[in-house]
Amino acid sequence: VSLEKYSIGVDLGGTNLRIAAYAGGTEFLESIAVPTRMAEGRDAVVDDMASAIRRFRETYSASASLAGVGIGTPGPLELPIGRLRKLPNFPGWDGFNLREAIESRIGMSVFLAKDANLAAFAESKLGQGKALGIDSMYMLTLGTGVGNGIVLDGKIFDGMSGMAGEGGHATVWPNGPRCGCGNHGCVEVFASATGVQRMARELIAGGNAPGLTTLADSKPAFSARDVADLASSGDSGARRVFENVGEALGITLAAMIDILNLPLYVIGGGMTNAWDLFSPRLFAELESRSYVYFLNNGNIDTSGYRSRMTHVVPAQLGSEAGLLGACLLPLVEAPA
Ligand SMILES: [Zn+2]
Protein backbone atom coordinates (compact mmCIF):
# COMPACT_ATOMS: atom_id res chain seq x y z
CA VAL A 1 0.00 0.00 0.00
CA SER A 2 1.41 3.39 -0.85
CA LEU A 3 0.44 6.20 1.48
CA GLU A 4 1.05 9.89 1.21
CA LYS A 5 0.85 10.87 4.84
CA TYR A 6 0.47 9.01 8.09
CA SER A 7 0.53 9.80 11.78
CA ILE A 8 1.37 8.02 15.01
CA GLY A 9 -0.94 8.21 18.03
CA VAL A 10 -0.39 7.22 21.64
CA ASP A 11 -3.01 6.78 24.33
CA LEU A 12 -1.51 6.73 27.82
CA GLY A 13 -3.83 4.94 30.23
CA GLY A 14 -3.38 3.83 33.81
CA THR A 15 -3.60 0.18 32.75
CA ASN A 16 -2.58 0.10 29.09
CA LEU A 17 -0.41 2.06 26.75
CA ARG A 18 -1.79 1.97 23.21
CA ILE A 19 0.11 3.08 20.15
CA ALA A 20 -1.10 3.17 16.55
CA ALA A 21 -0.07 4.18 13.06
CA TYR A 22 -2.85 5.81 11.08
CA ALA A 23 -3.60 7.23 7.65
CA GLY A 24 -7.28 8.27 7.87
CA GLY A 25 -10.73 6.72 8.34
CA THR A 26 -11.77 4.83 11.45
CA GLU A 27 -9.22 2.00 11.16
CA PHE A 28 -5.57 1.98 12.17
CA LEU A 29 -2.75 0.83 9.88
CA GLU A 30 -1.48 -1.02 12.91
CA SER A 31 -2.03 -0.77 16.64
CA ILE A 32 -0.49 -2.32 19.72
CA ALA A 33 -1.30 -2.29 23.43
CA VAL A 34 1.19 -2.96 26.18
CA PRO A 35 0.67 -2.84 29.95
CA THR A 36 1.58 0.54 31.45
CA ARG A 37 4.61 -0.25 33.64
CA MET A 38 3.38 2.03 36.41
CA ALA A 39 5.34 0.23 39.14
CA GLU A 40 8.64 0.85 37.33
CA GLY A 41 8.02 4.58 37.29
CA ARG A 42 7.35 7.27 34.75
CA ASP A 43 10.68 7.00 32.90
CA ALA A 44 10.02 3.34 32.09
CA VAL A 45 6.57 4.22 30.77
CA VAL A 46 7.89 7.06 28.60
CA ASP A 47 10.70 4.77 27.34
CA ASP A 48 8.02 2.30 26.21
CA MET A 49 6.13 5.08 24.43
CA ALA A 50 9.27 6.29 22.69
CA SER A 51 10.41 2.86 21.54
CA ALA A 52 6.99 2.05 20.07
CA ILE A 53 6.91 5.41 18.27
CA ARG A 54 10.40 4.75 16.84
CA ARG A 55 9.40 1.28 15.69
CA PHE A 56 6.31 2.60 13.84
CA ARG A 57 8.40 5.42 12.36
CA GLU A 58 10.92 2.90 11.00
CA THR A 59 8.17 0.73 9.55
CA TYR A 60 6.11 3.39 7.79
CA SER A 61 8.45 6.26 6.98
CA ALA A 62 9.84 4.40 3.95
CA SER A 63 6.47 4.57 2.19
CA ALA A 64 4.87 7.76 3.57
CA SER A 65 5.69 11.02 5.28
CA LEU A 66 5.01 11.36 8.99
CA ALA A 67 2.57 14.23 9.60
CA GLY A 68 3.22 14.12 13.33
CA VAL A 69 2.84 12.29 16.61
CA GLY A 70 -0.23 12.81 18.81
CA ILE A 71 -0.25 11.88 22.48
CA GLY A 72 -3.30 11.58 24.70
CA THR A 73 -3.00 11.53 28.46
CA PRO A 74 -5.40 11.64 31.37
CA GLY A 75 -5.79 15.12 32.85
CA PRO A 76 -5.27 17.52 34.45
CA LEU A 77 -2.69 18.49 31.85
CA GLU A 78 -1.12 21.95 31.81
CA LEU A 79 -0.79 23.31 28.25
CA PRO A 80 1.04 24.42 26.22
CA ILE A 81 3.92 23.42 28.52
CA GLY A 82 2.77 19.78 28.69
CA ARG A 83 3.04 19.21 32.42
CA LEU A 84 0.85 16.65 34.20
CA ARG A 85 -0.87 17.75 37.42
CA LYS A 86 -2.08 15.50 40.25
CA LEU A 87 -3.32 12.62 38.09
CA PRO A 88 -5.36 10.10 40.05
CA ASN A 89 -3.84 6.59 39.63
CA PHE A 90 -0.45 8.00 38.52
CA PRO A 91 1.57 8.21 41.76
CA GLY A 92 4.80 10.17 41.37
CA TRP A 93 3.77 11.88 38.13
CA ASP A 94 2.58 15.20 39.62
CA GLY A 95 4.53 18.02 37.94
CA PHE A 96 6.07 15.68 35.32
CA ASN A 97 6.74 17.42 31.99
CA LEU A 98 5.51 14.73 29.62
CA ARG A 99 6.07 16.84 26.52
CA GLU A 100 9.74 17.41 27.30
CA ALA A 101 10.29 13.76 28.29
CA ILE A 102 8.84 12.35 25.08
CA GLU A 103 10.18 15.00 22.68
CA SER A 104 13.74 14.60 23.95
CA ARG A 105 13.52 10.83 23.43
CA ILE A 106 12.13 10.83 19.90
CA GLY A 107 13.81 14.01 18.66
CA MET A 108 10.69 15.73 17.34
CA SER A 109 7.84 17.82 18.68
CA VAL A 110 4.51 16.17 19.48
CA PHE A 111 0.85 17.14 19.70
CA LEU A 112 -0.21 16.67 23.30
CA ALA A 113 -3.81 16.67 24.55
CA LYS A 114 -6.04 15.32 27.28
CA ASP A 115 -7.53 11.93 26.37
CA ALA A 116 -11.16 13.03 26.80
CA ASN A 117 -10.53 16.00 24.49
CA LEU A 118 -9.08 13.64 21.88
CA ALA A 119 -12.08 11.31 22.18
CA ALA A 120 -14.34 14.33 21.60
CA PHE A 121 -12.18 15.43 18.66
CA ALA A 122 -12.46 11.98 17.02
CA GLU A 123 -16.19 11.83 17.69
CA SER A 124 -16.54 15.27 16.14
CA LYS A 125 -14.55 14.45 12.98
CA LEU A 126 -15.42 10.78 12.47
CA GLY A 127 -18.43 9.94 14.66
CA GLN A 128 -21.66 11.74 15.58
CA GLY A 129 -20.31 15.17 14.61
CA LYS A 130 -19.61 13.94 11.11
CA ALA A 131 -22.89 12.03 10.89
CA LEU A 132 -24.92 15.08 11.91
CA GLY A 133 -22.78 17.65 10.08
CA ILE A 134 -22.04 19.49 13.33
CA ASP A 135 -18.56 20.76 14.29
CA SER A 136 -19.16 22.04 17.84
CA MET A 137 -19.88 19.63 20.65
CA TYR A 138 -19.52 18.73 24.30
CA MET A 139 -18.74 15.12 25.17
CA LEU A 140 -18.79 13.29 28.47
CA THR A 141 -16.71 10.11 28.57
CA LEU A 142 -17.89 7.64 31.19
CA GLY A 143 -15.21 5.18 32.26
CA THR A 144 -13.52 4.48 35.58
CA GLY A 145 -14.01 8.21 36.06
CA VAL A 146 -15.87 10.84 34.05
CA GLY A 147 -13.96 13.01 31.59
CA ASN A 148 -15.17 15.61 29.19
CA GLY A 149 -14.03 17.23 26.00
CA ILE A 150 -15.13 20.36 24.18
CA VAL A 151 -14.77 20.91 20.44
CA LEU A 152 -15.67 24.36 19.12
CA ASP A 153 -15.77 25.04 15.37
CA GLY A 154 -13.74 21.89 14.76
CA LYS A 155 -11.00 22.71 17.28
CA ILE A 156 -10.33 21.31 20.74
CA PHE A 157 -11.05 23.95 23.37
CA ASP A 158 -8.23 23.74 25.96
CA GLY A 159 -9.06 26.71 28.16
CA MET A 160 -6.50 29.10 29.64
CA SER A 161 -4.07 26.48 30.96
CA GLY A 162 -5.20 23.30 29.22
CA MET A 163 -7.60 22.31 31.94
CA ALA A 164 -10.96 22.88 30.26
CA GLY A 165 -12.75 19.59 30.41
CA GLU A 166 -12.73 18.62 34.06
CA GLY A 167 -16.53 18.63 33.99
CA GLY A 168 -16.55 15.20 35.64
CA HIS A 169 -15.96 17.16 38.83
CA ALA A 170 -19.00 19.36 38.52
CA THR A 171 -21.07 19.05 41.70
CA VAL A 172 -24.46 17.38 41.36
CA TRP A 173 -25.04 16.71 45.07
CA PRO A 174 -23.44 19.11 47.58
CA ASN A 175 -23.36 16.57 50.42
CA GLY A 176 -22.74 13.51 48.29
CA PRO A 177 -19.93 10.98 48.59
CA ARG A 178 -16.36 12.23 48.52
CA CYS A 179 -14.65 12.19 45.12
CA GLY A 180 -10.98 11.49 44.37
CA CYS A 181 -10.56 15.20 43.56
CA GLY A 182 -11.43 16.21 47.12
CA ASN A 183 -14.90 17.60 46.40
CA HIS A 184 -18.15 15.93 47.46
CA GLY A 185 -20.89 14.73 45.10
CA CYS A 186 -19.14 15.20 41.73
CA VAL A 187 -20.92 13.72 38.70
CA GLU A 188 -17.99 11.28 38.59
CA VAL A 189 -19.05 9.57 41.83
CA PHE A 190 -22.39 8.67 40.21
CA ALA A 191 -21.91 8.37 36.44
CA SER A 192 -18.69 6.33 36.33
CA ALA A 193 -18.12 2.57 36.45
CA THR A 194 -16.77 2.94 39.98
CA GLY A 195 -19.84 5.03 40.87
CA VAL A 196 -22.13 2.24 39.65
CA GLN A 197 -20.27 -0.30 41.79
CA ARG A 198 -20.44 2.00 44.82
CA MET A 199 -24.17 2.67 44.45
CA ALA A 200 -24.87 -1.04 44.00
CA ARG A 201 -22.95 -1.79 47.22
CA GLU A 202 -24.91 0.88 49.08
CA LEU A 203 -28.20 -0.65 48.00
CA ILE A 204 -26.94 -4.10 49.07
CA ALA A 205 -25.93 -2.68 52.48
CA GLY A 206 -29.40 -1.15 52.80
CA GLY A 207 -30.78 -4.70 52.64
CA ASN A 208 -33.41 -3.90 50.07
CA ALA A 209 -31.88 -5.13 46.83
CA PRO A 210 -32.15 -8.94 46.61
CA GLY A 211 -31.00 -9.14 42.96
CA LEU A 212 -27.84 -7.14 43.62
CA THR A 213 -27.20 -9.13 46.81
CA THR A 214 -27.36 -12.38 44.82
CA LEU A 215 -24.96 -10.90 42.25
CA ALA A 216 -22.46 -9.86 44.96
CA ASP A 217 -22.71 -13.28 46.64
CA SER A 218 -21.89 -15.10 43.41
CA LYS A 219 -19.34 -12.54 42.19
CA PRO A 220 -17.90 -10.39 44.99
CA ALA A 221 -15.83 -8.27 42.55
CA PHE A 222 -18.79 -7.54 40.26
CA SER A 223 -18.35 -4.90 37.54
CA ALA A 224 -20.51 -2.03 36.36
CA ARG A 225 -21.25 -4.19 33.32
CA ASP A 226 -22.63 -6.93 35.62
CA VAL A 227 -24.95 -4.37 37.23
CA ALA A 228 -26.06 -3.23 33.75
CA ASP A 229 -26.80 -6.83 32.70
CA LEU A 230 -28.87 -7.30 35.85
CA ALA A 231 -30.73 -4.04 35.17
CA SER A 232 -31.43 -5.15 31.59
CA SER A 233 -33.03 -8.31 32.94
CA GLY A 234 -35.45 -6.09 34.87
CA ASP A 235 -34.01 -6.15 38.39
CA SER A 236 -35.39 -3.12 40.24
CA GLY A 237 -32.32 -2.48 42.43
CA ALA A 238 -29.95 -2.50 39.46
CA ARG A 239 -32.36 -0.30 37.50
CA ARG A 240 -32.32 2.22 40.34
CA VAL A 241 -28.53 2.47 40.08
CA PHE A 242 -28.83 3.51 36.43
CA GLU A 243 -31.65 5.94 37.28
CA ASN A 244 -29.09 7.64 39.51
CA VAL A 245 -26.56 7.65 36.66
CA GLY A 246 -29.14 9.29 34.37
CA GLU A 247 -30.10 11.81 37.03
CA ALA A 248 -26.48 12.89 37.62
CA LEU A 249 -25.78 13.14 33.88
CA GLY A 250 -29.03 15.05 33.30
CA ILE A 251 -28.24 17.62 36.00
CA THR A 252 -24.75 18.16 34.57
CA LEU A 253 -25.84 18.33 30.95
CA ALA A 254 -28.75 20.66 31.75
CA ALA A 255 -26.24 23.17 33.10
CA MET A 256 -23.91 22.71 30.13
CA ILE A 257 -26.77 23.15 27.63
CA ASP A 258 -27.94 26.31 29.37
CA ILE A 259 -24.39 27.70 29.48
CA LEU A 260 -23.12 26.73 26.03
CA ASN A 261 -26.17 26.28 23.76
CA LEU A 262 -24.21 23.89 21.56
CA PRO A 263 -25.98 21.78 18.91
CA LEU A 264 -24.47 18.45 20.06
CA TYR A 265 -23.80 16.65 23.36
CA VAL A 266 -22.36 13.13 23.23
CA ILE A 267 -22.06 10.46 25.92
CA GLY A 268 -19.13 8.10 25.29
CA GLY A 269 -16.90 5.63 27.08
CA GLY A 270 -17.52 2.10 28.28
CA MET A 271 -20.79 2.98 30.03
CA THR A 272 -22.37 3.98 26.72
CA ASN A 273 -23.46 0.34 26.51
CA ALA A 274 -25.96 1.17 29.28
CA TRP A 275 -27.51 4.06 27.28
CA ASP A 276 -30.98 2.47 27.27
CA LEU A 277 -30.82 2.12 31.05
CA PHE A 278 -29.81 5.68 31.99
CA SER A 279 -30.98 7.85 29.07
CA PRO A 280 -34.74 7.97 29.87
CA ARG A 281 -33.97 9.60 33.22
CA LEU A 282 -31.32 11.81 31.60
CA PHE A 283 -33.87 13.20 29.11
CA ALA A 284 -36.47 13.65 31.87
CA GLU A 285 -33.94 15.76 33.77
CA LEU A 286 -33.12 17.84 30.68
CA GLU A 287 -36.79 18.49 30.05
CA SER A 288 -37.43 19.62 33.60
CA ARG A 289 -34.17 21.45 34.30
CA SER A 290 -32.78 23.01 31.12
CA TYR A 291 -34.53 26.13 29.88
CA VAL A 292 -32.47 26.16 26.67
CA TYR A 293 -33.23 22.48 25.97
CA PHE A 294 -36.93 23.19 26.42
CA LEU A 295 -36.82 26.27 24.17
CA ASN A 296 -35.01 24.42 21.37
CA ASN A 297 -36.54 20.98 21.60
CA GLY A 298 -40.00 21.49 23.07
CA ASN A 299 -42.85 19.94 21.16
CA ILE A 300 -40.98 18.61 18.16
CA ASP A 301 -40.11 15.20 16.81
CA THR A 302 -36.64 14.33 18.10
CA SER A 303 -35.81 11.76 15.40
CA GLY A 304 -33.14 12.64 12.89
CA TYR A 305 -31.25 15.85 12.41
CA ARG A 306 -32.86 19.25 12.63
CA SER A 307 -31.02 22.49 12.54
CA ARG A 308 -31.34 24.56 15.71
CA MET A 309 -32.02 21.57 17.86
CA THR A 310 -30.06 20.31 20.85
CA HIS A 311 -28.85 16.77 20.06
CA VAL A 312 -27.99 14.48 22.97
CA VAL A 313 -26.76 11.13 21.65
CA PRO A 314 -24.52 8.16 22.47
CA ALA A 315 -21.04 8.11 20.90
CA GLN A 316 -20.56 6.24 17.62
CA LEU A 317 -16.89 5.45 18.13
CA GLY A 318 -16.04 2.84 20.73
CA SER A 319 -13.22 2.50 23.22
CA GLU A 320 -10.65 3.47 20.57
CA ALA A 321 -11.95 7.04 20.27
CA GLY A 322 -9.13 8.54 22.36
CA LEU A 323 -6.44 6.75 20.34
CA LEU A 324 -8.14 7.72 17.07
CA GLY A 325 -8.17 11.33 18.22
CA ALA A 326 -4.46 11.17 19.07
CA CYS A 327 -3.77 9.89 15.54
CA LEU A 328 -6.10 12.39 13.91
CA LEU A 329 -4.82 15.54 15.63
CA PRO A 330 -1.46 15.73 13.77
CA LEU A 331 -3.10 14.97 10.42
CA VAL A 332 -5.63 17.80 10.92
CA GLU A 333 -3.39 20.33 12.68
CA ALA A 334 0.09 19.82 11.19
CA PRO A 335 1.05 22.49 8.66
CA ALA A 336 0.99 21.00 5.14
ZN1 LIG B 1 -14.46 15.19 41.75
Side-chain angles (χ1 to χ4, degrees), residues 168-169 179-183 186 188:
H169 300 290
C179 176
C181 74
N183 183 27
C186 297
E188 175 164 313

Side-chain angles (χ1 to χ4, degrees), residues 121-189:
F121 189 64
E123 194 64 37
S124 165
K125 301 285 182 192
L126 301 170
Q128 287 285 12
K130 185 183 180 195
L132 294 167
I134 292 172
D135 67 357
S136 293
M137 59 175 257
Y138 179 85
M139 176 165 161
L140 283 167
T141 299
L142 316 183
T144 312
V146 174
N148 84 235
I150 305 169
V151 175
L152 298 177
D153 300 326
K155 301 259 185 203
I156 291 174
F157 177 74
D158 285 317
M160 173 187 70
S161 54
M163 296 181 190
E166 293 298 335
H169 300 290
T171 304
V172 293
W173 184 17
N175 301 312
R178 194 173 175 88
C179 176
C181 74
N183 183 27
H184 287 264
C186 297
V187 64
E188 175 164 313
V189 300

